[in-house]
Amino acid sequence: MDATETRRPVVMVDELHVEYKVYASGKAVSPSAKALRGPRGIRTVHALKGISFTAYENESIGVIGSNGSGKSTLMRAMVGLTPPSQGAVYATSRPNMLGVGAALLPDLSGDRNIVLGGLALGFKRSEIASLRDEIIEFSELQDFIDLPMRTYSSGMQARLKFAIAASKQHEILIIDEALSVGDKRFRERSEARIREIRDAAGTIFLVSHSMTSIRSTCNRTIWLDKGVLVMDGETEEVVTAYEESRIPR
């Protein structure tokens, strides 16, 4: 029996297509703008082309590919931010997405953002209070936690976002490039936390350009290229094939 048959499927992506219209400049077209300006200078981008796979509990799945391959579009479709043109995404619970671009309130302190982030994750205020010190310690922001978020570097913001999100045991967590910032020690601690979430029957999707992070964190990897699923399998095999494809011939 295949090992996946003994585990519970938590996400199924079924023949997923995503198309959207953009101006020649690359800016997305809103429906109202299209009606006003007509079709001139507008082209259709087929960002995902029939993507299908099933993810199981206890998996950490790397998502790799060059810029424009459809990685972020796939993740946004999985959490419901980007509607499919065809096909569907089924999940046992709503996936949570942690990305470096996730919104924080810049005029509030890091401490206040911990409270707001915890409430957004569904924690009670008493639970947030009990997790506060752990979050601050993990983010390594002890000396800055009372300062406004606008005074933080992008790396400091990303560390705090990750620490808040990783304080919860997620059934399905999507991490989009969040480990590309911070020093080696923080990345190693983040990768260890991802493995803890996975081992507690969570499912992780890690979008990254760092093959080191993918190799050390993921037991399965999906390779996308121009909206097509090129390969889906054991991480070392997929990453090696991807790296070989990028060697100039």
Side-chain angles (χ1 to χ4, degrees), residues 13 16-20 45-49 51 53 63 66-85 89 97 174 176 207 224 226-228:
V13 177
L16 183 67
H17 292 257
V18 171
E19 297 181 6
Y20 54 88
V45 174
H46 200 164
L48 297 177
K49 304 172 183 177
I51 302 293
F53 63 86
V63 183
S66 58
N67 291 334
S69 61
K71 304 185 299 298
S72 293
T73 301
L74 174 59
M75 298 302 104
R76 289 177 60 84
M78 287 172 55
V79 299
L81 295 174
T82 297
S85 305
V89 176
M97 182 155 69
I174 295 170
D176 193 346
V207 180
L224 300 181
K226 297 178 181 177
V228 174

PDB file of all heavy atoms in Angstrom, residues 13 16-20 45-49 51 53 63 66-85 89 97 174 176 207 224 226-228:
ATOM      1  N   VAL A  13      -6.152  19.929  -5.324  1.00  0.00           N
ATOM      2  CA  VAL A  13      -6.218  20.908  -6.406  1.00  0.00           C
ATOM      3  C   VAL A  13      -6.567  20.140  -7.671  1.00  0.00           C
ATOM      4  O   VAL A  13      -5.846  19.208  -8.067  1.00  0.00           O
ATOM      5  CB  VAL A  13      -4.878  21.648  -6.562  1.00  0.00           C
ATOM      6  CG1 VAL A  13      -4.919  22.607  -7.742  1.00  0.00           C
ATOM      7  CG2 VAL A  13      -4.533  22.401  -5.272  1.00  0.00           C
ATOM      8  N   LEU A  16      -6.751  22.991 -12.012  1.00  0.00           N
ATOM      9  CA  LEU A  16      -6.885  24.413 -11.720  1.00  0.00           C
ATOM     10  C   LEU A  16      -6.290  25.275 -12.825  1.00  0.00           C
ATOM     11  O   LEU A  16      -5.121  25.147 -13.175  1.00  0.00           O
ATOM     12  CB  LEU A  16      -6.205  24.732 -10.387  1.00  0.00           C
ATOM     13  CG  LEU A  16      -6.305  26.172  -9.893  1.00  0.00           C
ATOM     14  CD1 LEU A  16      -7.753  26.515  -9.541  1.00  0.00           C
ATOM     15  CD2 LEU A  16      -5.412  26.388  -8.681  1.00  0.00           C
ATOM     16  N   HIS A  17      -7.110  26.159 -13.353  1.00  0.00           N
ATOM     17  CA  HIS A  17      -6.676  27.175 -14.313  1.00  0.00           C
ATOM     18  C   HIS A  17      -6.954  28.547 -13.731  1.00  0.00           C
ATOM     19  O   HIS A  17      -8.006  28.777 -13.125  1.00  0.00           O
ATOM     20  CB  HIS A  17      -7.446  27.058 -15.640  1.00  0.00           C
ATOM     21  CG  HIS A  17      -7.144  25.830 -16.425  1.00  0.00           C
ATOM     22  ND1 HIS A  17      -6.321  25.829 -17.530  1.00  0.00           N
ATOM     23  CD2 HIS A  17      -7.565  24.541 -16.253  1.00  0.00           C
ATOM     24  CE1 HIS A  17      -6.250  24.596 -18.032  1.00  0.00           C
ATOM     25  NE2 HIS A  17      -6.992  23.799 -17.268  1.00  0.00           N
ATOM     26  N   VAL A  18      -6.020  29.468 -13.906  1.00  0.00           N
ATOM     27  CA  VAL A  18      -6.238  30.870 -13.542  1.00  0.00           C
ATOM     28  C   VAL A  18      -5.816  31.728 -14.720  1.00  0.00           C
ATOM     29  O   VAL A  18      -4.680  31.641 -15.194  1.00  0.00           O
ATOM     30  CB  VAL A  18      -5.436  31.273 -12.283  1.00  0.00           C
ATOM     31  CG1 VAL A  18      -5.516  32.787 -12.069  1.00  0.00           C
ATOM     32  CG2 VAL A  18      -5.960  30.544 -11.049  1.00  0.00           C
ATOM     33  N   GLU A  19      -6.755  32.547 -15.196  1.00  0.00           N
ATOM     34  CA  GLU A  19      -6.469  33.502 -16.258  1.00  0.00           C
ATOM     35  C   GLU A  19      -6.855  34.901 -15.772  1.00  0.00           C
ATOM     36  O   GLU A  19      -7.828  35.062 -15.050  1.00  0.00           O
ATOM     37  CB  GLU A  19      -7.278  33.171 -17.521  1.00  0.00           C
ATOM     38  CG  GLU A  19      -6.946  31.818 -18.142  1.00  0.00           C
ATOM     39  CD  GLU A  19      -7.770  31.557 -19.396  1.00  0.00           C
ATOM     40  OE1 GLU A  19      -8.494  32.481 -19.828  1.00  0.00           O
ATOM     41  OE2 GLU A  19      -7.690  30.448 -19.926  1.00  0.00           O
ATOM     42  N   TYR A  20      -6.074  35.884 -16.167  1.00  0.00           N
ATOM     43  CA  TYR A  20      -6.442  37.258 -15.858  1.00  0.00           C
ATOM     44  C   TYR A  20      -5.953  38.159 -16.977  1.00  0.00           C
ATOM     45  O   TYR A  20      -5.062  37.806 -17.748  1.00  0.00           O
ATOM     46  CB  TYR A  20      -5.901  37.713 -14.500  1.00  0.00           C
ATOM     47  CG  TYR A  20      -4.414  37.544 -14.308  1.00  0.00           C
ATOM     48  CD1 TYR A  20      -3.523  38.543 -14.688  1.00  0.00           C
ATOM     49  CD2 TYR A  20      -3.896  36.376 -13.734  1.00  0.00           C
ATOM     50  CE1 TYR A  20      -2.158  38.397 -14.501  1.00  0.00           C
ATOM     51  CE2 TYR A  20      -2.528  36.220 -13.551  1.00  0.00           C
ATOM     52  CZ  TYR A  20      -1.676  37.230 -13.932  1.00  0.00           C
ATOM     53  OH  TYR A  20      -0.327  37.075 -13.767  1.00  0.00           O
ATOM     54  N   VAL A  45      -3.384  36.661 -19.550  1.00  0.00           N
ATOM     55  CA  VAL A  45      -2.293  35.857 -19.007  1.00  0.00           C
ATOM     56  C   VAL A  45      -2.884  34.573 -18.442  1.00  0.00           C
ATOM     57  O   VAL A  45      -3.796  34.620 -17.613  1.00  0.00           O
ATOM     58  CB  VAL A  45      -1.534  36.619 -17.893  1.00  0.00           C
ATOM     59  CG1 VAL A  45      -0.494  35.702 -17.239  1.00  0.00           C
ATOM     60  CG2 VAL A  45      -0.876  37.862 -18.459  1.00  0.00           C
ATOM     61  N   HIS A  46      -2.399  33.444 -18.921  1.00  0.00           N
ATOM     62  CA  HIS A  46      -2.844  32.138 -18.424  1.00  0.00           C
ATOM     63  C   HIS A  46      -1.831  31.701 -17.363  1.00  0.00           C
ATOM     64  O   HIS A  46      -0.839  31.044 -17.651  1.00  0.00           O
ATOM     65  CB  HIS A  46      -2.897  31.137 -19.583  1.00  0.00           C
ATOM     66  CG  HIS A  46      -3.752  29.946 -19.306  1.00  0.00           C
ATOM     67  ND1 HIS A  46      -4.201  29.099 -20.292  1.00  0.00           N
ATOM     68  CD2 HIS A  46      -4.255  29.444 -18.139  1.00  0.00           C
ATOM     69  CE1 HIS A  46      -4.932  28.136 -19.764  1.00  0.00           C
ATOM     70  NE2 HIS A  46      -4.971  28.329 -18.449  1.00  0.00           N
ATOM     71  N   ALA A  47      -2.083  32.106 -16.112  1.00  0.00           N
ATOM     72  CA  ALA A  47      -1.092  31.951 -15.051  1.00  0.00           C
ATOM     73  C   ALA A  47      -0.955  30.522 -14.550  1.00  0.00           C
ATOM     74  O   ALA A  47       0.140  30.090 -14.173  1.00  0.00           O
ATOM     75  CB  ALA A  47      -1.443  32.867 -13.874  1.00  0.00           C
ATOM     76  N   LEU A  48      -2.050  29.777 -14.516  1.00  0.00           N
ATOM     77  CA  LEU A  48      -2.032  28.364 -14.125  1.00  0.00           C
ATOM     78  C   LEU A  48      -2.784  27.559 -15.170  1.00  0.00           C
ATOM     79  O   LEU A  48      -3.874  27.939 -15.591  1.00  0.00           O
ATOM     80  CB  LEU A  48      -2.679  28.157 -12.749  1.00  0.00           C
ATOM     81  CG  LEU A  48      -2.000  28.829 -11.554  1.00  0.00           C
ATOM     82  CD1 LEU A  48      -2.806  28.574 -10.282  1.00  0.00           C
ATOM     83  CD2 LEU A  48      -0.564  28.347 -11.383  1.00  0.00           C
ATOM     84  N   LYS A  49      -2.203  26.430 -15.561  1.00  0.00           N
ATOM     85  CA  LYS A  49      -2.724  25.678 -16.702  1.00  0.00           C
ATOM     86  C   LYS A  49      -2.994  24.228 -16.313  1.00  0.00           C
ATOM     87  O   LYS A  49      -2.196  23.330 -16.550  1.00  0.00           O
ATOM     88  CB  LYS A  49      -1.723  25.730 -17.860  1.00  0.00           C
ATOM     89  CG  LYS A  49      -1.351  27.152 -18.288  1.00  0.00           C
ATOM     90  CD  LYS A  49      -0.215  27.194 -19.289  1.00  0.00           C
ATOM     91  CE  LYS A  49       0.178  28.611 -19.644  1.00  0.00           C
ATOM     92  NZ  LYS A  49       1.339  28.679 -20.565  1.00  0.00           N
ATOM     93  N   ILE A  51      -3.466  22.668 -13.159  1.00  0.00           N
ATOM     94  CA  ILE A  51      -2.672  22.116 -12.056  1.00  0.00           C
ATOM     95  C   ILE A  51      -3.527  21.152 -11.236  1.00  0.00           C
ATOM     96  O   ILE A  51      -4.648  21.487 -10.836  1.00  0.00           O
ATOM     97  CB  ILE A  51      -2.145  23.228 -11.130  1.00  0.00           C
ATOM     98  CG1 ILE A  51      -1.300  24.238 -11.917  1.00  0.00           C
ATOM     99  CG2 ILE A  51      -1.361  22.638  -9.956  1.00  0.00           C
ATOM    100  CD1 ILE A  51      -0.025  23.683 -12.448  1.00  0.00           C
ATOM    101  N   PHE A  53      -3.056  18.187  -7.917  1.00  0.00           N
ATOM    102  CA  PHE A  53      -2.294  17.380  -6.962  1.00  0.00           C
ATOM    103  C   PHE A  53      -3.120  17.255  -5.682  1.00  0.00           C
ATOM    104  O   PHE A  53      -4.080  17.987  -5.461  1.00  0.00           O
ATOM    105  CB  PHE A  53      -0.926  18.004  -6.642  1.00  0.00           C
ATOM    106  CG  PHE A  53      -0.981  19.344  -5.978  1.00  0.00           C
ATOM    107  CD1 PHE A  53      -1.088  19.464  -4.595  1.00  0.00           C
ATOM    108  CD2 PHE A  53      -0.923  20.512  -6.728  1.00  0.00           C
ATOM    109  CE1 PHE A  53      -1.143  20.700  -3.979  1.00  0.00           C
ATOM    110  CE2 PHE A  53      -0.978  21.758  -6.115  1.00  0.00           C
ATOM    111  CZ  PHE A  53      -1.095  21.846  -4.735  1.00  0.00           C
ATOM    112  N   VAL A  63       7.391  24.478  -2.980  1.00  0.00           N
ATOM    113  CA  VAL A  63       6.852  24.932  -4.266  1.00  0.00           C
ATOM    114  C   VAL A  63       7.933  25.786  -4.907  1.00  0.00           C
ATOM    115  O   VAL A  63       8.275  26.855  -4.403  1.00  0.00           O
ATOM    116  CB  VAL A  63       5.546  25.729  -4.088  1.00  0.00           C
ATOM    117  CG1 VAL A  63       4.973  26.123  -5.449  1.00  0.00           C
ATOM    118  CG2 VAL A  63       4.527  24.923  -3.286  1.00  0.00           C
ATOM    119  N   SER A  66      10.915  29.369 -11.374  1.00  0.00           N
ATOM    120  CA  SER A  66      11.471  30.695 -11.625  1.00  0.00           C
ATOM    121  C   SER A  66      10.395  31.754 -11.441  1.00  0.00           C
ATOM    122  O   SER A  66       9.199  31.445 -11.307  1.00  0.00           O
ATOM    123  CB  SER A  66      12.055  30.762 -13.041  1.00  0.00           C
ATOM    124  OG  SER A  66      11.040  30.458 -13.990  1.00  0.00           O
ATOM    125  N   ASN A  67      10.790  33.023 -11.430  1.00  0.00           N
ATOM    126  CA  ASN A  67       9.824  34.114 -11.338  1.00  0.00           C
ATOM    127  C   ASN A  67       8.825  34.022 -12.482  1.00  0.00           C
ATOM    128  O   ASN A  67       9.201  33.798 -13.638  1.00  0.00           O
ATOM    129  CB  ASN A  67      10.532  35.470 -11.383  1.00  0.00           C
ATOM    130  CG  ASN A  67      11.345  35.734 -10.129  1.00  0.00           C
ATOM    131  OD1 ASN A  67      11.042  35.212  -9.065  1.00  0.00           O
ATOM    132  ND2 ASN A  67      12.379  36.551 -10.253  1.00  0.00           N
ATOM    133  N   GLY A  68       7.534  34.196 -12.149  1.00  0.00           N
ATOM    134  CA  GLY A  68       6.503  34.113 -13.174  1.00  0.00           C
ATOM    135  C   GLY A  68       6.027  32.708 -13.463  1.00  0.00           C
ATOM    136  O   GLY A  68       5.239  32.501 -14.399  1.00  0.00           O
ATOM    137  N   SER A  69       6.452  31.739 -12.674  1.00  0.00           N
ATOM    138  CA  SER A  69       6.066  30.350 -12.938  1.00  0.00           C
ATOM    139  C   SER A  69       4.667  30.025 -12.434  1.00  0.00           C
ATOM    140  O   SER A  69       4.101  28.996 -12.804  1.00  0.00           O
ATOM    141  CB  SER A  69       7.075  29.395 -12.300  1.00  0.00           C
ATOM    142  OG  SER A  69       7.112  29.573 -10.894  1.00  0.00           O
ATOM    143  N   GLY A  70       4.097  30.868 -11.571  1.00  0.00           N
ATOM    144  CA  GLY A  70       2.743  30.634 -11.068  1.00  0.00           C
ATOM    145  C   GLY A  70       2.689  30.222  -9.603  1.00  0.00           C
ATOM    146  O   GLY A  70       1.616  29.896  -9.100  1.00  0.00           O
ATOM    147  N   LYS A  71       3.823  30.272  -8.900  1.00  0.00           N
ATOM    148  CA  LYS A  71       3.859  29.802  -7.508  1.00  0.00           C
ATOM    149  C   LYS A  71       2.908  30.606  -6.616  1.00  0.00           C
ATOM    150  O   LYS A  71       2.078  30.033  -5.913  1.00  0.00           O
ATOM    151  CB  LYS A  71       5.287  29.891  -6.958  1.00  0.00           C
ATOM    152  CG  LYS A  71       6.340  29.150  -7.759  1.00  0.00           C
ATOM    153  CD  LYS A  71       7.700  29.185  -7.089  1.00  0.00           C
ATOM    154  CE  LYS A  71       8.271  30.584  -6.897  1.00  0.00           C
ATOM    155  NZ  LYS A  71       8.501  31.296  -8.180  1.00  0.00           N
ATOM    156  N   SER A  72       3.069  31.924  -6.618  1.00  0.00           N
ATOM    157  CA  SER A  72       2.242  32.750  -5.747  1.00  0.00           C
ATOM    158  C   SER A  72       0.785  32.732  -6.179  1.00  0.00           C
ATOM    159  O   SER A  72      -0.120  32.775  -5.338  1.00  0.00           O
ATOM    160  CB  SER A  72       2.772  34.187  -5.715  1.00  0.00           C
ATOM    161  OG  SER A  72       4.038  34.234  -5.071  1.00  0.00           O
ATOM    162  N   THR A  73       0.533  32.656  -7.482  1.00  0.00           N
ATOM    163  CA  THR A  73      -0.850  32.560  -7.959  1.00  0.00           C
ATOM    164  C   THR A  73      -1.503  31.293  -7.436  1.00  0.00           C
ATOM    165  O   THR A  73      -2.662  31.310  -6.994  1.00  0.00           O
ATOM    166  CB  THR A  73      -0.888  32.572  -9.497  1.00  0.00           C
ATOM    167  OG1 THR A  73      -0.294  33.775  -9.980  1.00  0.00           O
ATOM    168  CG2 THR A  73      -2.318  32.489 -10.006  1.00  0.00           C
ATOM    169  N   LEU A  74      -0.779  30.191  -7.450  1.00  0.00           N
ATOM    170  CA  LEU A  74      -1.310  28.933  -6.920  1.00  0.00           C
ATOM    171  C   LEU A  74      -1.643  29.070  -5.430  1.00  0.00           C
ATOM    172  O   LEU A  74      -2.710  28.648  -4.972  1.00  0.00           O
ATOM    173  CB  LEU A  74      -0.302  27.804  -7.135  1.00  0.00           C
ATOM    174  CG  LEU A  74      -0.653  26.454  -6.505  1.00  0.00           C
ATOM    175  CD1 LEU A  74      -1.973  25.919  -7.038  1.00  0.00           C
ATOM    176  CD2 LEU A  74       0.476  25.444  -6.746  1.00  0.00           C
ATOM    177  N   MET A  75      -0.737  29.675  -4.665  1.00  0.00           N
ATOM    178  CA  MET A  75      -0.986  29.821  -3.239  1.00  0.00           C
ATOM    179  C   MET A  75      -2.194  30.728  -2.981  1.00  0.00           C
ATOM    180  O   MET A  75      -3.021  30.451  -2.111  1.00  0.00           O
ATOM    181  CB  MET A  75       0.258  30.396  -2.549  1.00  0.00           C
ATOM    182  CG  MET A  75       1.499  29.522  -2.639  1.00  0.00           C
ATOM    183  SD  MET A  75       1.312  27.853  -1.939  1.00  0.00           S
ATOM    184  CE  MET A  75       1.154  26.868  -3.454  1.00  0.00           C
ATOM    185  N   ARG A  76      -2.300  31.812  -3.737  1.00  0.00           N
ATOM    186  CA  ARG A  76      -3.434  32.724  -3.562  1.00  0.00           C
ATOM    187  C   ARG A  76      -4.744  32.048  -3.947  1.00  0.00           C
ATOM    188  O   ARG A  76      -5.777  32.291  -3.323  1.00  0.00           O
ATOM    189  CB  ARG A  76      -3.224  33.998  -4.397  1.00  0.00           C
ATOM    190  CG  ARG A  76      -2.123  34.899  -3.852  1.00  0.00           C
ATOM    191  CD  ARG A  76      -1.897  36.111  -4.762  1.00  0.00           C
ATOM    192  NE  ARG A  76      -3.094  36.932  -4.889  1.00  0.00           N
ATOM    193  CZ  ARG A  76      -3.457  37.861  -4.029  1.00  0.00           C
ATOM    194  NH1 ARG A  76      -2.724  38.107  -2.964  1.00  0.00           N
ATOM    195  NH2 ARG A  76      -4.559  38.565  -4.236  1.00  0.00           N
ATOM    196  N   ALA A  77      -4.716  31.185  -4.945  1.00  0.00           N
ATOM    197  CA  ALA A  77      -5.921  30.442  -5.317  1.00  0.00           C
ATOM    198  C   ALA A  77      -6.301  29.455  -4.217  1.00  0.00           C
ATOM    199  O   ALA A  77      -7.491  29.247  -3.933  1.00  0.00           O
ATOM    200  CB  ALA A  77      -5.698  29.711  -6.635  1.00  0.00           C
ATOM    201  N   MET A  78      -5.298  28.855  -3.581  1.00  0.00           N
ATOM    202  CA  MET A  78      -5.580  27.875  -2.527  1.00  0.00           C
ATOM    203  C   MET A  78      -6.238  28.507  -1.307  1.00  0.00           C
ATOM    204  O   MET A  78      -7.042  27.870  -0.631  1.00  0.00           O
ATOM    205  CB  MET A  78      -4.289  27.156  -2.127  1.00  0.00           C
ATOM    206  CG  MET A  78      -3.812  26.164  -3.164  1.00  0.00           C
ATOM    207  SD  MET A  78      -2.176  25.485  -2.796  1.00  0.00           S
ATOM    208  CE  MET A  78      -2.402  24.825  -1.161  1.00  0.00           C
ATOM    209  N   VAL A  79      -5.911  29.768  -1.012  1.00  0.00           N
ATOM    210  CA  VAL A  79      -6.524  30.430   0.147  1.00  0.00           C
ATOM    211  C   VAL A  79      -7.761  31.235  -0.238  1.00  0.00           C
ATOM    212  O   VAL A  79      -8.378  31.866   0.617  1.00  0.00           O
ATOM    213  CB  VAL A  79      -5.520  31.336   0.887  1.00  0.00           C
ATOM    214  CG1 VAL A  79      -4.357  30.519   1.400  1.00  0.00           C
ATOM    215  CG2 VAL A  79      -5.032  32.475   0.008  1.00  0.00           C
ATOM    216  N   GLY A  80      -8.133  31.232  -1.519  1.00  0.00           N
ATOM    217  CA  GLY A  80      -9.359  31.883  -1.951  1.00  0.00           C
ATOM    218  C   GLY A  80      -9.213  33.336  -2.336  1.00  0.00           C
ATOM    219  O   GLY A  80     -10.218  34.022  -2.554  1.00  0.00           O
ATOM    220  N   LEU A  81      -7.972  33.840  -2.447  1.00  0.00           N
ATOM    221  CA  LEU A  81      -7.767  35.230  -2.821  1.00  0.00           C
ATOM    222  C   LEU A  81      -7.841  35.450  -4.328  1.00  0.00           C
ATOM    223  O   LEU A  81      -8.106  36.572  -4.782  1.00  0.00           O
ATOM    224  CB  LEU A  81      -6.416  35.726  -2.300  1.00  0.00           C
ATOM    225  CG  LEU A  81      -6.271  35.784  -0.775  1.00  0.00           C
ATOM    226  CD1 LEU A  81      -4.839  36.142  -0.392  1.00  0.00           C
ATOM    227  CD2 LEU A  81      -7.248  36.794  -0.186  1.00  0.00           C
ATOM    228  N   THR A  82      -7.553  34.407  -5.102  1.00  0.00           N
ATOM    229  CA  THR A  82      -7.613  34.480  -6.559  1.00  0.00           C
ATOM    230  C   THR A  82      -8.598  33.435  -7.067  1.00  0.00           C
ATOM    231  O   THR A  82      -8.390  32.238  -6.839  1.00  0.00           O
ATOM    232  CB  THR A  82      -6.229  34.235  -7.183  1.00  0.00           C
ATOM    233  OG1 THR A  82      -5.328  35.258  -6.767  1.00  0.00           O
ATOM    234  CG2 THR A  82      -6.303  34.225  -8.713  1.00  0.00           C
ATOM    235  N   PRO A  83      -9.685  33.844  -7.714  1.00  0.00           N
ATOM    236  CA  PRO A  83     -10.678  32.867  -8.167  1.00  0.00           C
ATOM    237  C   PRO A  83     -10.172  32.063  -9.358  1.00  0.00           C
ATOM    238  O   PRO A  83      -9.488  32.600 -10.235  1.00  0.00           O
ATOM    239  CB  PRO A  83     -11.874  33.741  -8.559  1.00  0.00           C
ATOM    240  CG  PRO A  83     -11.270  35.067  -8.914  1.00  0.00           C
ATOM    241  CD  PRO A  83     -10.085  35.239  -8.015  1.00  0.00           C
ATOM    242  N   PRO A  84     -10.485  30.771  -9.417  1.00  0.00           N
ATOM    243  CA  PRO A  84     -10.091  29.969 -10.572  1.00  0.00           C
ATOM    244  C   PRO A  84     -10.939  30.306 -11.796  1.00  0.00           C
ATOM    245  O   PRO A  84     -12.117  30.643 -11.679  1.00  0.00           O
ATOM    246  CB  PRO A  84     -10.341  28.530 -10.098  1.00  0.00           C
ATOM    247  CG  PRO A  84     -11.401  28.646  -9.058  1.00  0.00           C
ATOM    248  CD  PRO A  84     -11.181  29.978  -8.392  1.00  0.00           C
ATOM    249  N   SER A  85     -10.318  30.207 -12.971  1.00  0.00           N
ATOM    250  CA  SER A  85     -11.066  30.337 -14.214  1.00  0.00           C
ATOM    251  C   SER A  85     -11.734  29.011 -14.554  1.00  0.00           C
ATOM    252  O   SER A  85     -12.842  28.977 -15.103  1.00  0.00           O
ATOM    253  CB  SER A  85     -10.120  30.751 -15.348  1.00  0.00           C
ATOM    254  OG  SER A  85      -9.428  31.934 -15.015  1.00  0.00           O
ATOM    255  N   VAL A  89     -10.329  24.086  -5.957  1.00  0.00           N
ATOM    256  CA  VAL A  89      -9.471  23.708  -4.831  1.00  0.00           C
ATOM    257  C   VAL A  89     -10.377  23.259  -3.695  1.00  0.00           C
ATOM    258  O   VAL A  89     -11.320  23.975  -3.331  1.00  0.00           O
ATOM    259  CB  VAL A  89      -8.589  24.880  -4.362  1.00  0.00           C
ATOM    260  CG1 VAL A  89      -7.779  24.468  -3.129  1.00  0.00           C
ATOM    261  CG2 VAL A  89      -7.665  25.358  -5.472  1.00  0.00           C
ATOM    262  N   MET A  97      -2.218  31.745   5.114  1.00  0.00           N
ATOM    263  CA  MET A  97      -1.036  32.120   4.351  1.00  0.00           C
ATOM    264  C   MET A  97      -0.216  33.153   5.108  1.00  0.00           C
ATOM    265  O   MET A  97      -0.720  34.188   5.524  1.00  0.00           O
ATOM    266  CB  MET A  97      -1.391  32.680   2.972  1.00  0.00           C
ATOM    267  CG  MET A  97      -0.145  33.035   2.150  1.00  0.00           C
ATOM    268  SD  MET A  97      -0.378  33.008   0.355  1.00  0.00           S
ATOM    269  CE  MET A  97      -1.434  34.415   0.126  1.00  0.00           C
ATOM    270  N   ILE A 174       0.568  28.098   4.603  1.00  0.00           N
ATOM    271  CA  ILE A 174       1.309  28.454   3.398  1.00  0.00           C
ATOM    272  C   ILE A 174       2.302  29.544   3.752  1.00  0.00           C
ATOM    273  O   ILE A 174       1.932  30.583   4.311  1.00  0.00           O
ATOM    274  CB  ILE A 174       0.353  28.934   2.291  1.00  0.00           C
ATOM    275  CG1 ILE A 174      -0.568  27.790   1.847  1.00  0.00           C
ATOM    276  CG2 ILE A 174       1.128  29.487   1.103  1.00  0.00           C
ATOM    277  CD1 ILE A 174      -1.692  28.227   0.931  1.00  0.00           C
ATOM    278  N   ASP A 176       5.087  31.941   2.082  1.00  0.00           N
ATOM    279  CA  ASP A 176       5.552  32.436   0.783  1.00  0.00           C
ATOM    280  C   ASP A 176       6.776  33.325   0.980  1.00  0.00           C
ATOM    281  O   ASP A 176       6.657  34.494   1.331  1.00  0.00           O
ATOM    282  CB  ASP A 176       4.433  33.219   0.095  1.00  0.00           C
ATOM    283  CG  ASP A 176       4.726  33.483  -1.369  1.00  0.00           C
ATOM    284  OD1 ASP A 176       5.888  33.292  -1.785  1.00  0.00           O
ATOM    285  OD2 ASP A 176       3.805  33.871  -2.111  1.00  0.00           O
ATOM    286  N   VAL A 207       6.910  28.220  -0.282  1.00  0.00           N
ATOM    287  CA  VAL A 207       7.322  28.798  -1.561  1.00  0.00           C
ATOM    288  C   VAL A 207       8.652  29.487  -1.343  1.00  0.00           C
ATOM    289  O   VAL A 207       8.755  30.402  -0.523  1.00  0.00           O
ATOM    290  CB  VAL A 207       6.276  29.804  -2.074  1.00  0.00           C
ATOM    291  CG1 VAL A 207       6.726  30.392  -3.411  1.00  0.00           C
ATOM    292  CG2 VAL A 207       4.913  29.152  -2.205  1.00  0.00           C
ATOM    293  N   LEU A 224       6.884  24.206 -10.648  1.00  0.00           N
ATOM    294  CA  LEU A 224       6.044  24.856 -11.646  1.00  0.00           C
ATOM    295  C   LEU A 224       6.904  25.600 -12.652  1.00  0.00           C
ATOM    296  O   LEU A 224       7.953  26.148 -12.304  1.00  0.00           O
ATOM    297  CB  LEU A 224       5.081  25.855 -10.994  1.00  0.00           C
ATOM    298  CG  LEU A 224       4.086  25.333  -9.953  1.00  0.00           C
ATOM    299  CD1 LEU A 224       3.217  26.487  -9.458  1.00  0.00           C
ATOM    300  CD2 LEU A 224       3.223  24.229 -10.522  1.00  0.00           C
ATOM    301  N   LYS A 226       5.946  28.275 -15.958  1.00  0.00           N
ATOM    302  CA  LYS A 226       4.992  28.940 -16.850  1.00  0.00           C
ATOM    303  C   LYS A 226       3.575  28.403 -16.662  1.00  0.00           C
ATOM    304  O   LYS A 226       2.847  28.173 -17.634  1.00  0.00           O
ATOM    305  CB  LYS A 226       5.435  28.796 -18.311  1.00  0.00           C
ATOM    306  CG  LYS A 226       6.778  29.472 -18.585  1.00  0.00           C
ATOM    307  CD  LYS A 226       7.218  29.279 -20.029  1.00  0.00           C
ATOM    308  CE  LYS A 226       8.573  29.935 -20.279  1.00  0.00           C
ATOM    309  NZ  LYS A 226       9.070  29.717 -21.652  1.00  0.00           N
ATOM    310  N   GLY A 227       3.198  28.191 -15.396  1.00  0.00           N
ATOM    311  CA  GLY A 227       1.844  27.768 -15.082  1.00  0.00           C
ATOM    312  C   GLY A 227       1.574  26.285 -15.211  1.00  0.00           C
ATOM    313  O   GLY A 227       0.441  25.846 -15.010  1.00  0.00           O
ATOM    314  N   VAL A 228       2.609  25.514 -15.518  1.00  0.00           N
ATOM    315  CA  VAL A 228       2.446  24.061 -15.712  1.00  0.00           C
ATOM    316  C   VAL A 228       3.174  23.323 -14.595  1.00  0.00           C
ATOM    317  O   VAL A 228       4.284  23.714 -14.199  1.00  0.00           O
ATOM    318  CB  VAL A 228       3.007  23.634 -17.087  1.00  0.00           C
ATOM    319  CG1 VAL A 228       2.978  22.117 -17.245  1.00  0.00           C
ATOM    320  CG2 VAL A 228       2.216  24.306 -18.205  1.00  0.00           C
TER     321      VAL A 228
END
